[in-house]
């Protein structure tokens, strides 16, 4: 069974569209939704292992211009 995580993303003002576009183009990102509330975007990540999920988040998602903060919720 693949590992799965929900990544709650807070973006800089005016950067939602750019961040959504970038996240949608990444391998491992299964869906990206703009939401209301304390976070701006929720992305669903799937990979073979939890380590791969961590790599996607730390090396790819955190590098996206316009993302100011993330919270990762692993599916158990």
């Amino acid at each position: 069974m693949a590992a799965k995580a929900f990544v709650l993303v807070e973006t800089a003002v005016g950067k939602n569209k750019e961040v959504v576009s970038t996240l949608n183009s990444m391998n491992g990102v299964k869906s990206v939704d703009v939401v209301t509330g304390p976070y701006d975007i929720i992305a669903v990540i799937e990979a073979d292992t939890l380590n791969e999920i961590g790599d996607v988040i730390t090396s790819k998602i955190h590098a996206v211009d316009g993302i100011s903060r993330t919270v990762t919720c692993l599916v158990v």
Side-chain angles (χ1 to χ4, degrees):
M1 183 174 139
K4 183 176 180 180
F6 295 94
V7 181
L8 312 176
V9 180
E10 189 176 310
T11 63
V13 175
K15 295 288 189 173
N16 271 10
K17 287 184 181 181
E18 293 172 37
V19 171
V20 166
S21 177
T22 302
L23 291 176
N24 272 321
S25 69
M26 288 183 183
N27 288 333
V29 177
K30 297 303 176 189
S31 68
V32 179
D33 293 293
V34 176
V35 297
T36 60
Y39 296 96
D40 302 305
I41 296 167
I42 297 177
V44 178
I45 312 296
E46 288 185 8
D48 290 333
T49 67
L50 291 177
N51 283 341
E52 289 177 23
I53 294 257
D55 290 342
V56 168
I57 293 164
T58 57
S59 67
K60 294 181 181 177
I61 292 178
H62 285 170
V64 174
D65 184 45
I67 292 180
S68 54
R69 187 167 87 102
T70 65
V71 173
T72 302
C73 303
L74 296 171
V75 174
V76 294

